[in-house]
mmCIF file of all heavy atoms in Angstrom:
data_model
loop_
_atom_site.group_PDB
_atom_site.id
_atom_site.type_symbol
_atom_site.label_atom_id
_atom_site.label_comp_id
_atom_site.label_asym_id
_atom_site.label_seq_id
_atom_site.Cartn_x
_atom_site.Cartn_y
_atom_site.Cartn_z
ATOM 1 N N ALA A 1 0.858 -1.197 0.003
ATOM 2 C CA ALA A 1 0.003 0.003 -0.001
ATOM 3 C C ALA A 1 0.890 1.237 0.005
ATOM 4 O O ALA A 1 1.949 1.270 0.627
ATOM 5 C CB ALA A 1 -0.903 0.013 1.216
ATOM 6 N N TYR A 2 0.414 2.248 -0.725
ATOM 7 C CA TYR A 2 1.117 3.534 -0.741
ATOM 8 C C TYR A 2 0.130 4.631 -0.410
ATOM 9 O O TYR A 2 -0.913 4.755 -1.078
ATOM 10 C CB TYR A 2 1.751 3.792 -2.099
ATOM 11 C CG TYR A 2 2.494 5.109 -2.157
ATOM 12 C CD1 TYR A 2 3.657 5.296 -1.436
ATOM 13 C CD2 TYR A 2 1.989 6.179 -2.888
ATOM 14 C CE1 TYR A 2 4.329 6.503 -1.472
ATOM 15 C CE2 TYR A 2 2.651 7.386 -2.925
ATOM 16 C CZ TYR A 2 3.823 7.541 -2.205
ATOM 17 O OH TYR A 2 4.485 8.747 -2.234
ATOM 18 N N GLU A 3 0.419 5.410 0.631
ATOM 19 C CA GLU A 3 -0.430 6.553 1.026
ATOM 20 C C GLU A 3 0.191 7.817 0.411
ATOM 21 O O GLU A 3 1.272 8.242 0.804
ATOM 22 C CB GLU A 3 -0.506 6.651 2.552
ATOM 23 C CG GLU A 3 -1.193 7.880 3.087
ATOM 24 C CD GLU A 3 -2.532 8.192 2.446
ATOM 25 O OE1 GLU A 3 -3.422 7.329 2.415
ATOM 26 O OE2 GLU A 3 -2.677 9.329 1.950
ATOM 27 N N TRP A 4 -0.497 8.358 -0.575
ATOM 28 C CA TRP A 4 0.020 9.471 -1.360
ATOM 29 C C TRP A 4 0.178 10.748 -0.537
ATOM 30 O O TRP A 4 1.123 11.502 -0.751
ATOM 31 C CB TRP A 4 -0.865 9.717 -2.580
ATOM 32 C CG TRP A 4 -0.814 8.594 -3.548
ATOM 33 C CD1 TRP A 4 -1.578 7.463 -3.536
ATOM 34 C CD2 TRP A 4 0.091 8.471 -4.636
ATOM 35 N NE1 TRP A 4 -1.213 6.640 -4.550
ATOM 36 C CE2 TRP A 4 -0.185 7.239 -5.281
ATOM 37 C CE3 TRP A 4 1.104 9.269 -5.155
ATOM 38 C CZ2 TRP A 4 0.508 6.785 -6.381
ATOM 39 C CZ3 TRP A 4 1.788 8.810 -6.262
ATOM 40 C CH2 TRP A 4 1.507 7.593 -6.859
ATOM 41 N N ASN A 5 -0.730 11.033 0.380
ATOM 42 C CA ASN A 5 -0.659 12.281 1.145
ATOM 43 C C ASN A 5 0.518 12.319 2.102
ATOM 44 O O ASN A 5 1.122 13.353 2.320
ATOM 45 C CB ASN A 5 -1.965 12.528 1.892
ATOM 46 C CG ASN A 5 -3.122 12.767 0.944
ATOM 47 O OD1 ASN A 5 -2.941 13.086 -0.224
ATOM 48 N ND2 ASN A 5 -4.333 12.580 1.458
ATOM 49 N N SER A 6 0.824 11.178 2.713
ATOM 50 C CA SER A 6 1.920 11.146 3.679
ATOM 51 C C SER A 6 3.208 10.557 3.093
ATOM 52 O O SER A 6 4.213 10.469 3.783
ATOM 53 C CB SER A 6 1.516 10.336 4.919
ATOM 54 O OG SER A 6 1.230 9.007 4.551
ATOM 55 N N ASP A 7 3.167 10.135 1.824
ATOM 56 C CA ASP A 7 4.317 9.562 1.135
ATOM 57 C C ASP A 7 4.906 8.395 1.932
ATOM 58 O O ASP A 7 6.094 8.324 2.196
ATOM 59 C CB ASP A 7 5.381 10.667 0.907
ATOM 60 C CG ASP A 7 6.520 10.185 0.000
ATOM 61 O OD1 ASP A 7 6.272 9.333 -0.866
ATOM 62 O OD2 ASP A 7 7.658 10.652 0.177
ATOM 63 N N GLN A 8 4.003 7.446 2.330
ATOM 64 C CA GLN A 8 4.432 6.304 3.126
ATOM 65 C C GLN A 8 4.068 4.993 2.431
ATOM 66 O O GLN A 8 2.943 4.829 1.933
ATOM 67 C CB GLN A 8 3.797 6.299 4.519
ATOM 68 C CG GLN A 8 4.311 7.398 5.390
ATOM 69 C CD GLN A 8 3.790 7.256 6.815
ATOM 70 O OE1 GLN A 8 2.791 6.600 7.081
ATOM 71 N NE2 GLN A 8 4.493 7.878 7.753
ATOM 72 N N TRP A 9 5.011 4.062 2.445
ATOM 73 C CA TRP A 9 4.811 2.726 1.895
ATOM 74 C C TRP A 9 4.597 1.719 3.010
ATOM 75 O O TRP A 9 5.221 1.823 4.071
ATOM 76 C CB TRP A 9 6.051 2.283 1.131
ATOM 77 C CG TRP A 9 6.263 2.921 -0.197
ATOM 78 C CD1 TRP A 9 7.005 4.022 -0.455
ATOM 79 C CD2 TRP A 9 5.716 2.497 -1.441
ATOM 80 N NE1 TRP A 9 6.982 4.310 -1.798
ATOM 81 C CE2 TRP A 9 6.186 3.379 -2.422
ATOM 82 C CE3 TRP A 9 4.874 1.465 -1.822
ATOM 83 C CZ2 TRP A 9 5.846 3.242 -3.767
ATOM 84 C CZ3 TRP A 9 4.534 1.337 -3.161
ATOM 85 C CH2 TRP A 9 5.024 2.223 -4.119
ATOM 86 N N SER A 10 3.765 0.722 2.751
ATOM 87 C CA SER A 10 3.643 -0.476 3.578
ATOM 88 C C SER A 10 3.885 -1.650 2.650
ATOM 89 O O SER A 10 3.119 -1.881 1.708
ATOM 90 C CB SER A 10 2.239 -0.615 4.178
ATOM 91 O OG SER A 10 1.998 0.400 5.114
ATOM 92 N N VAL A 11 4.956 -2.412 2.902
ATOM 93 C CA VAL A 11 5.316 -3.500 1.989
ATOM 94 C C VAL A 11 5.634 -4.761 2.792
ATOM 95 O O VAL A 11 6.802 -5.061 3.061
ATOM 96 C CB VAL A 11 6.503 -3.117 1.086
ATOM 97 C CG1 VAL A 11 6.757 -4.229 0.048
ATOM 98 C CG2 VAL A 11 6.290 -1.787 0.411
ATOM 99 N N PRO A 12 4.615 -5.527 3.193
ATOM 100 C CA PRO A 12 4.877 -6.819 3.796
ATOM 101 C C PRO A 12 5.012 -7.873 2.691
ATOM 102 O O PRO A 12 4.264 -7.854 1.706
ATOM 103 C CB PRO A 12 3.632 -7.084 4.641
ATOM 104 C CG PRO A 12 2.543 -6.350 3.922
ATOM 105 C CD PRO A 12 3.205 -5.161 3.275
ATOM 106 N N VAL A 13 5.987 -8.761 2.831
ATOM 107 C CA VAL A 13 6.197 -9.851 1.888
ATOM 108 C C VAL A 13 5.998 -11.148 2.650
ATOM 109 O O VAL A 13 6.607 -11.347 3.713
ATOM 110 C CB VAL A 13 7.599 -9.777 1.264
ATOM 111 C CG1 VAL A 13 7.834 -10.936 0.319
ATOM 112 C CG2 VAL A 13 7.820 -8.446 0.565
ATOM 113 N N THR A 14 5.154 -12.040 2.116
ATOM 114 C CA THR A 14 4.810 -13.268 2.814
ATOM 115 C C THR A 14 5.166 -14.492 1.987
ATOM 116 O O THR A 14 4.836 -14.549 0.794
ATOM 117 C CB THR A 14 3.287 -13.293 3.130
ATOM 118 O OG1 THR A 14 2.937 -12.112 3.831
ATOM 119 C CG2 THR A 14 2.928 -14.500 3.970
ATOM 120 N N LEU A 15 5.817 -15.458 2.613
ATOM 121 C CA LEU A 15 6.137 -16.746 1.977
ATOM 122 C C LEU A 15 5.481 -17.833 2.821
ATOM 123 O O LEU A 15 5.739 -17.914 4.041
ATOM 124 C CB LEU A 15 7.654 -16.946 1.918
ATOM 125 C CG LEU A 15 8.123 -18.272 1.340
ATOM 126 C CD1 LEU A 15 7.680 -18.424 -0.120
ATOM 127 C CD2 LEU A 15 9.623 -18.399 1.460
ATOM 128 N N THR A 16 4.622 -18.629 2.206
ATOM 129 C CA THR A 16 3.901 -19.683 2.941
ATOM 130 C C THR A 16 3.994 -21.016 2.195
ATOM 131 O O THR A 16 4.233 -21.059 0.991
ATOM 132 C CB THR A 16 2.420 -19.344 3.147
ATOM 133 O OG1 THR A 16 1.797 -19.195 1.861
ATOM 134 C CG2 THR A 16 2.253 -18.080 3.966
ATOM 135 N N ALA A 17 3.773 -22.075 2.961
ATOM 136 C CA ALA A 17 3.645 -23.429 2.400
ATOM 137 C C ALA A 17 2.507 -24.098 3.125
ATOM 138 O O ALA A 17 2.313 -23.900 4.332
ATOM 139 C CB ALA A 17 4.936 -24.215 2.587
ATOM 140 N N SER A 18 1.715 -24.892 2.402
ATOM 141 C CA SER A 18 0.613 -25.609 3.024
ATOM 142 C C SER A 18 0.464 -26.979 2.361
ATOM 143 O O SER A 18 0.839 -27.175 1.210
ATOM 144 C CB SER A 18 -0.697 -24.821 2.901
ATOM 145 O OG SER A 18 -1.004 -24.564 1.543
ATOM 146 N N GLN A 19 -0.067 -27.896 3.130
ATOM 147 C CA GLN A 19 -0.237 -29.286 2.685
ATOM 148 C C GLN A 19 -1.680 -29.719 2.848
ATOM 149 O O GLN A 19 -2.242 -29.590 3.949
ATOM 150 C CB GLN A 19 0.688 -30.213 3.455
ATOM 151 C CG GLN A 19 0.545 -31.674 3.104
ATOM 152 C CD GLN A 19 0.924 -31.992 1.671
ATOM 153 O OE1 GLN A 19 1.986 -31.557 1.226
ATOM 154 N NE2 GLN A 19 0.084 -32.692 0.948
ATOM 155 N N TYR A 20 -2.263 -30.246 1.782
ATOM 156 C CA TYR A 20 -3.609 -30.816 1.827
ATOM 157 C C TYR A 20 -3.499 -32.253 2.331
ATOM 158 O O TYR A 20 -2.611 -33.010 1.927
ATOM 159 C CB TYR A 20 -4.237 -30.805 0.431
ATOM 160 C CG TYR A 20 -5.563 -31.541 0.378
ATOM 161 C CD1 TYR A 20 -6.726 -30.913 0.731
ATOM 162 C CD2 TYR A 20 -5.603 -32.877 -0.021
ATOM 163 C CE1 TYR A 20 -7.946 -31.589 0.718
ATOM 164 C CE2 TYR A 20 -6.805 -33.543 -0.054
ATOM 165 C CZ TYR A 20 -7.971 -32.906 0.316
ATOM 166 O OH TYR A 20 -9.156 -33.580 0.294
ATOM 167 N N PHE A 21 -4.442 -32.645 3.214
ATOM 168 C CA PHE A 21 -4.511 -34.036 3.667
ATOM 169 C C PHE A 21 -5.923 -34.314 4.181
ATOM 170 O O PHE A 21 -6.730 -33.387 4.329
ATOM 171 C CB PHE A 21 -3.468 -34.322 4.770
ATOM 172 C CG PHE A 21 -3.688 -33.561 6.039
ATOM 173 C CD1 PHE A 21 -4.342 -34.165 7.109
ATOM 174 C CD2 PHE A 21 -3.263 -32.249 6.180
ATOM 175 C CE1 PHE A 21 -4.555 -33.464 8.297
ATOM 176 C CE2 PHE A 21 -3.457 -31.547 7.352
ATOM 177 C CZ PHE A 21 -4.110 -32.154 8.415
ATOM 178 N N GLU A 22 -6.220 -35.572 4.410
ATOM 179 C CA GLU A 22 -7.508 -35.959 4.977
ATOM 180 C C GLU A 22 -7.271 -36.721 6.273
ATOM 181 O O GLU A 22 -6.372 -37.562 6.338
ATOM 182 C CB GLU A 22 -8.295 -36.813 3.992
ATOM 183 C CG GLU A 22 -8.747 -36.032 2.783
ATOM 184 C CD GLU A 22 -9.601 -36.852 1.827
ATOM 185 O OE1 GLU A 22 -9.948 -38.007 2.151
ATOM 186 O OE2 GLU A 22 -9.911 -36.323 0.753
ATOM 187 N N LEU A 23 -8.080 -36.409 7.269
ATOM 188 C CA LEU A 23 -8.028 -37.078 8.558
ATOM 189 C C LEU A 23 -9.402 -37.669 8.793
ATOM 190 O O LEU A 23 -10.371 -36.918 8.972
ATOM 191 C CB LEU A 23 -7.650 -36.104 9.670
ATOM 192 C CG LEU A 23 -7.462 -36.669 11.063
ATOM 193 C CD1 LEU A 23 -6.334 -37.705 11.089
ATOM 194 C CD2 LEU A 23 -7.182 -35.559 12.044
ATOM 195 N N GLU A 24 -9.510 -38.989 8.762
ATOM 196 C CA GLU A 24 -10.788 -39.679 8.880
ATOM 197 C C GLU A 24 -11.823 -39.123 7.891
ATOM 198 O O GLU A 24 -12.940 -38.772 8.265
ATOM 199 C CB GLU A 24 -11.288 -39.653 10.310
ATOM 200 C CG GLU A 24 -10.371 -40.393 11.269
ATOM 201 C CD GLU A 24 -10.969 -40.575 12.653
ATOM 202 O OE1 GLU A 24 -12.199 -40.461 12.799
ATOM 203 O OE2 GLU A 24 -10.189 -40.854 13.566
ATOM 204 N N ASN A 25 -11.431 -39.005 6.647
ATOM 205 C CA ASN A 25 -12.254 -38.511 5.533
ATOM 206 C C ASN A 25 -12.658 -37.041 5.649
ATOM 207 O O ASN A 25 -13.599 -36.609 4.981
ATOM 208 C CB ASN A 25 -13.505 -39.402 5.343
ATOM 209 C CG ASN A 25 -13.149 -40.798 4.915
ATOM 210 O OD1 ASN A 25 -12.209 -40.994 4.155
ATOM 211 N ND2 ASN A 25 -13.886 -41.777 5.407
ATOM 212 N N ILE A 26 -11.993 -36.288 6.513
ATOM 213 C CA ILE A 26 -12.248 -34.849 6.628
ATOM 214 C C ILE A 26 -11.089 -34.124 5.957
ATOM 215 O O ILE A 26 -9.958 -34.232 6.426
ATOM 216 C CB ILE A 26 -12.373 -34.413 8.101
ATOM 217 C CG1 ILE A 26 -13.546 -35.153 8.780
ATOM 218 C CG2 ILE A 26 -12.580 -32.905 8.192
ATOM 219 C CD1 ILE A 26 -13.616 -34.943 10.277
ATOM 220 N N PRO A 27 -11.346 -33.411 4.861
ATOM 221 C CA PRO A 27 -10.267 -32.698 4.182
ATOM 222 C C PRO A 27 -9.750 -31.516 5.004
ATOM 223 O O PRO A 27 -10.550 -30.767 5.569
ATOM 224 C CB PRO A 27 -10.886 -32.239 2.863
ATOM 225 C CG PRO A 27 -12.351 -32.261 3.102
ATOM 226 C CD PRO A 27 -12.625 -33.243 4.185
ATOM 227 N N MET A 28 -8.432 -31.397 5.061
ATOM 228 C CA MET A 28 -7.810 -30.335 5.858
ATOM 229 C C MET A 28 -6.628 -29.748 5.100
ATOM 230 O O MET A 28 -6.101 -30.369 4.175
ATOM 231 C CB MET A 28 -7.336 -30.864 7.206
ATOM 232 C CG MET A 28 -8.431 -31.377 8.078
ATOM 233 S SD MET A 28 -7.804 -31.811 9.686
ATOM 234 C CE MET A 28 -9.281 -32.448 10.444
ATOM 235 N N LEU A 29 -6.217 -28.579 5.550
ATOM 236 C CA LEU A 29 -5.063 -27.888 4.982
ATOM 237 C C LEU A 29 -4.239 -27.373 6.158
ATOM 238 O O LEU A 29 -4.744 -26.605 6.995
ATOM 239 C CB LEU A 29 -5.536 -26.731 4.105
ATOM 240 C CG LEU A 29 -4.525 -26.093 3.181
ATOM 241 C CD1 LEU A 29 -4.062 -27.081 2.123
ATOM 242 C CD2 LEU A 29 -5.149 -24.880 2.505
ATOM 243 N N LEU A 30 -2.985 -27.811 6.245
ATOM 244 C CA LEU A 30 -2.086 -27.365 7.298
ATOM 245 C C LEU A 30 -0.958 -26.589 6.661
ATOM 246 O O LEU A 30 -0.363 -27.047 5.674
ATOM 247 C CB LEU A 30 -1.525 -28.573 8.062
ATOM 248 C CG LEU A 30 -0.487 -28.273 9.142
ATOM 249 C CD1 LEU A 30 -1.131 -27.450 10.277
ATOM 250 C CD2 LEU A 30 0.110 -29.553 9.678
ATOM 251 N N GLY A 31 -0.680 -25.413 7.193
ATOM 252 C CA GLY A 31 0.372 -24.593 6.582
ATOM 253 C C GLY A 31 0.939 -23.564 7.537
ATOM 254 O O GLY A 31 0.466 -23.397 8.660
ATOM 255 N N GLY A 32 1.901 -22.866 7.033
ATOM 256 C CA GLY A 32 2.513 -21.824 7.822
ATOM 257 C C GLY A 32 3.475 -21.022 6.962
ATOM 258 O O GLY A 32 3.686 -21.340 5.789
ATOM 259 N N GLY A 33 4.000 -19.975 7.559
ATOM 260 C CA GLY A 33 4.920 -19.164 6.776
ATOM 261 C C GLY A 33 5.503 -18.028 7.585
ATOM 262 O O GLY A 33 5.332 -17.939 8.804
ATOM 263 N N VAL A 34 6.184 -17.160 6.853
ATOM 264 C CA VAL A 34 6.834 -16.013 7.462
ATOM 265 C C VAL A 34 6.428 -14.755 6.688
ATOM 266 O O VAL A 34 6.282 -14.793 5.468
ATOM 267 C CB VAL A 34 8.374 -16.184 7.481
ATOM 268 C CG1 VAL A 34 8.949 -16.318 6.093
ATOM 269 C CG2 VAL A 34 9.046 -15.058 8.232
ATOM 270 N N LYS A 35 6.187 -13.690 7.428
ATOM 271 C CA LYS A 35 5.878 -12.390 6.825
ATOM 272 C C LYS A 35 6.971 -11.417 7.269
ATOM 273 O O LYS A 35 7.273 -11.320 8.465
ATOM 274 C CB LYS A 35 4.522 -11.860 7.265
ATOM 275 C CG LYS A 35 4.203 -10.473 6.706
ATOM 276 C CD LYS A 35 2.904 -9.915 7.258
ATOM 277 C CE LYS A 35 1.755 -10.548 6.534
ATOM 278 N NZ LYS A 35 0.447 -9.896 6.855
ATOM 279 N N TYR A 36 7.580 -10.739 6.310
ATOM 280 C CA TYR A 36 8.631 -9.771 6.583
ATOM 281 C C TYR A 36 8.196 -8.403 6.072
ATOM 282 O O TYR A 36 7.765 -8.277 4.929
ATOM 283 C CB TYR A 36 9.941 -10.189 5.921
ATOM 284 C CG TYR A 36 11.024 -9.143 6.077
ATOM 285 C CD1 TYR A 36 11.632 -8.956 7.310
ATOM 286 C CD2 TYR A 36 11.411 -8.346 5.028
ATOM 287 C CE1 TYR A 36 12.606 -7.978 7.487
ATOM 288 C CE2 TYR A 36 12.376 -7.382 5.175
ATOM 289 C CZ TYR A 36 12.969 -7.198 6.414
ATOM 290 O OH TYR A 36 13.932 -6.240 6.571
ATOM 291 N N TRP A 37 8.302 -7.398 6.913
ATOM 292 C CA TRP A 37 7.936 -6.026 6.536
ATOM 293 C C TRP A 37 9.154 -5.368 5.893
ATOM 294 O O TRP A 37 10.055 -4.869 6.576
ATOM 295 C CB TRP A 37 7.459 -5.248 7.749
ATOM 296 C CG TRP A 37 6.121 -5.739 8.192
ATOM 297 C CD1 TRP A 37 5.874 -6.793 9.015
ATOM 298 C CD2 TRP A 37 4.862 -5.228 7.810
ATOM 299 N NE1 TRP A 37 4.527 -6.970 9.158
ATOM 300 C CE2 TRP A 37 3.880 -6.013 8.436
ATOM 301 C CE3 TRP A 37 4.454 -4.167 6.981
ATOM 302 C CZ2 TRP A 37 2.519 -5.788 8.273
ATOM 303 C CZ3 TRP A 37 3.103 -3.931 6.832
ATOM 304 C CH2 TRP A 37 2.153 -4.752 7.470
ATOM 305 N N ALA A 38 9.198 -5.375 4.551
ATOM 306 C CA ALA A 38 10.306 -4.764 3.815
ATOM 307 C C ALA A 38 10.295 -3.250 3.964
ATOM 308 O O ALA A 38 11.338 -2.610 3.977
ATOM 309 C CB ALA A 38 10.235 -5.155 2.333
ATOM 310 N N GLU A 39 9.098 -2.682 4.095
ATOM 311 C CA GLU A 39 8.939 -1.243 4.320
ATOM 312 C C GLU A 39 7.712 -1.059 5.208
ATOM 313 O O GLU A 39 6.672 -1.669 4.988
ATOM 314 C CB GLU A 39 8.731 -0.514 3.003
ATOM 315 C CG GLU A 39 8.687 0.991 3.095
ATOM 316 C CD GLU A 39 10.042 1.630 3.394
ATOM 317 O OE1 GLU A 39 11.062 1.086 2.978
ATOM 318 O OE2 GLU A 39 10.048 2.678 4.062
#
């Protein structure tokens, strides 16, 4: 995001990984990641 009036940037960069699986026929997605605020 860029705020034009205050000339400020917000730049979070996110890298994630997730895995699909089923547990007793219930579909699930387990994942995680890291978010870094570049600006």
Side-chain angles (χ1 to χ4, degrees):
Y2 180 69
E3 172 49 54
W4 293 87
N5 295 341
S6 62
D7 189 30
Q8 290 188 340
W9 286 94
S10 293
V11 186
V13 178
T14 306
L15 177 63
T16 60
S18 58
Q19 177 64 49
Y20 173 84
F21 65 98
E22 292 183 6
L23 184 61
E24 297 190 18
N25 295 324
I26 300 171
M28 297 186 183
L29 194 65
L30 176 65
V34 61
K35 178 185 280 190
Y36 174 72
W37 290 84
E39 185 72 31

